[in-house]
Amino acid sequence: MFGYRVPAPDEAMLISGGRRGLGGAPFRVVTGHGKFVLPIFRKVRFLTLSMCEAEVTETCVTKQGISLHVRAVIAFKVGNDHESIINAGQRFLSDQEQMSVLTGRIFAGHLRAIIGSMTVEEIVTERQKLAAEVLDTSKTEMAKIGLIVDSLQIQSIDDGDTGYIDAMSAPHKAAIQRQAQIAQAQATQAAVEAEQEAARKQAEYARQTAIVKAEYSAEVDRAQAQAAQAGPLAQAHAQQEVLAAQTELAQRQAKLRQQQLVAEVVKPAEAEAERVRILAAAEAQRMKIQAEAAASYDRVALDRMLIDQLPQIVKEAAGGLSGANVNVLNGADGLGEIAAGLVSQGLTILDSVRQGLGQDKDGQGTRGDVNSLLQLHSGKERKSDDGPVDVD
């Protein structure tokens, strides 16, 4: 729209003419928004709020009197508040490049002052401390002109041809060189040890490979030898199995022949012997029975004969008393006793004969013994004829 002006984001719009700005400033400050400006009656100018840079290269003398060439870079800008914009606008609005020139000069003076109170060792080793002190001493002065410093960097410090910094750094260089040499030696030693370890591992690997190859070769040779011996061994095993089978067959045949001999010879012989033994035992039993039967028959016959002959025996005994002088004292009772004695004598003879028969187990000579006994008793009775017999 005609007459409507808008500042850029990094600019401040300064409107002069008309009423005054804040604090009695000769212009009004507009940032961040647009403003309707009457043409001809109002004048508009723009002040940059972007970052600016100033470079300082200065020869400074230290506390020790040693000249140092110092190079520094300052980053600064116009403050965002209205007071800073008004201060900067009043000083640099017509020539804004003068902000860098003035800032460099201000920092050069403060840099010389701060370095003059420090030693070379402090400046070299404590650059951050140097920058902080320079910023702190220049802050108030920069604020008066509406500028603020964002950073100060000491880029280089050089003593020229004096060689002080080099001499100061010599011990450190020697130490560093020594440490570098030590590190190099350690690295070399580590490299040698690594090479030795690698060589040892290679030798170990070669040894293990040789062992594996030897074992593999030995295994191959052993397998080939076993394969070469497999045929003869198999033939020998087959022959051994054949011999074992033949031996087993011969043993079975011998056992079968033994069984056949037992069945054909021993068993029939044993059966025949058993038959003969049984026949002999039967024959002996038969003969025993016959003998017992014969003996029993002879006893029965003898008893019958003795019984049949008993009257004759008594008669013969009584006949032996004939013609004897016998005195009978008790009359009829005495005669009865004599008769009873004769009968008792006959029975005694009969018992004697029976006992004799019992002692003769074979039954031989029974009749002869009986006749002998009869003759014995007859003789005794005959002898009694020589004298009288008294009968009580």
Side-chain angles (χ1 to χ4, degrees), residues 17-333:
R19 62 184 180 183
R20 290 181 172 274
L22 295 176
F27 49 79
R28 287 180 295 171
V29 178
V30 178
T31 57
H33 60 86
K35 189 75 173 176
F36 183 78
V37 179
L38 292 175
I40 303 172
F41 298 101
R42 303 287 187 272
K43 191 174 182 178
V44 176
R45 303 289 296 272
F46 293 94
L47 179 65
T48 180
L49 300 179
S50 61
M51 181 66 64
C52 299
E53 179 181 308
E55 184 175 341
V56 177
T57 302
E58 192 71 21
T59 300
C60 305
V61 179
T62 66
K63 183 179 180 180
Q64 298 162 317
I66 299 173
S67 297
L68 297 177
H69 300 286
V70 181
R71 182 174 177 270
V73 176
I74 305 100
F76 67 94
K77 67 182 291 296
V78 177
N80 293 327
D81 58 291
H82 283 197
E83 184 179 358
S84 297
I85 294 173
I86 292 171
N87 291 334
Q90 288 178 342
R91 289 171 177 84
F92 306 110
L93 185 59
S94 60
D95 189 4
Q96 297 185 27
E97 294 180 358
Q98 288 297 317
M99 288 190 294
S100 299
V101 176
L102 182 58
T103 300
R105 291 175 180 176
I106 293 172
F107 271 88
H110 289 288
L111 189 61
R112 285 194 301 271
I114 299 299
I115 289 177
S117 64
M118 297 176 66
T119 63
V120 177
E121 288 80 5
E122 292 175 345
I123 295 170
V124 171
T125 58
E126 299 180 2
R127 290 190 181 185
Q128 191 63 34
K129 178 181 177 181
L130 173 62
E133 289 185 3
V134 172
L135 286 174
D136 186 60
T137 56
S138 63
K139 183 181 298 183
T140 303
E141 190 173 356
M142 293 291 290
K144 288 180 180 180
I145 59 178
L147 301 178
I148 59 174
V149 179
D150 288 339
S151 67
L152 170 64
Q153 295 294 330
I154 306 298
Q155 291 189 344
S156 65
I157 298 174
D158 186 13
D159 61 352
D161 297 332
T162 60
Y164 187 90
I165 296 177
D166 291 337
M168 183 180 65
S169 62
H172 300 285
K173 288 181 179 180
I176 291 173
Q177 289 177 356
R178 183 173 59 255
Q179 292 177 357
Q181 292 175 356
I182 293 173
Q184 183 63 35
Q186 292 177 349
T188 303
Q189 182 179 359
V192 173
E193 292 177 354
E195 291 178 357
Q196 292 177 352
E197 182 67 18
R200 187 186 65 80
K201 289 183 178 180
Q202 290 179 356
E204 181 67 19
Y205 178 76
R207 185 183 69 83
Q208 292 180 356
T209 303
I211 292 173
V212 171
K213 288 182 178 179
E215 291 178 352
Y216 177 76
S217 179
E219 186 176 357
V220 171
D221 294 340
R222 184 164 56 252
Q224 291 177 352
Q226 291 178 355
Q229 295 176 357
L233 287 175
Q235 185 176 1
H237 285 308
Q239 292 178 357
Q240 185 177 2
E241 291 178 357
V242 170
L243 291 176
Q246 291 177 353
T247 302
E248 186 178 0
L249 179 60
Q251 292 176 353
R252 290 182 178 180
Q253 290 178 352
K255 186 175 181 180
L256 179 61
R257 182 57 182 167
Q258 182 180 3
Q259 293 176 355
Q260 290 177 353
L261 290 176
V262 169
E264 294 176 358
V265 179
V266 177
K267 293 296 182 181
E270 291 179 352
E272 182 63 21
E274 184 67 17
R275 186 182 68 81
V276 172
R277 186 184 64 78
I278 293 173
L279 292 177
E283 183 64 20
Q285 187 68 21
R286 184 182 66 79
M287 292 178 66
K288 181 179 178 182
I289 293 172
Q290 288 179 356
E292 290 178 354
S296 176
Y297 176 78
D298 289 340
R299 285 195 298 273
V300 173
L302 180 59
D303 290 341
R304 290 183 60 84
M305 182 186 68
L306 290 176
I307 292 170
D308 292 339
Q309 294 296 327
L310 184 59
Q312 184 65 28
I313 292 172
V314 175
K315 181 179 179 181
E316 290 294 333
L321 295 177
S322 62
N325 186 13
V326 178
N327 295 320
V328 179
L329 299 178
N330 295 328
D333 294 332

Side-chain angles (χ1 to χ4, degrees), residues 5-25:
R5 307 296 295 272
V6 178
D10 59 346
E11 290 180 338
M13 187 172 62
L14 305 179
I15 304 172
S16 60
R19 62 184 180 183
R20 290 181 172 274
L22 295 176

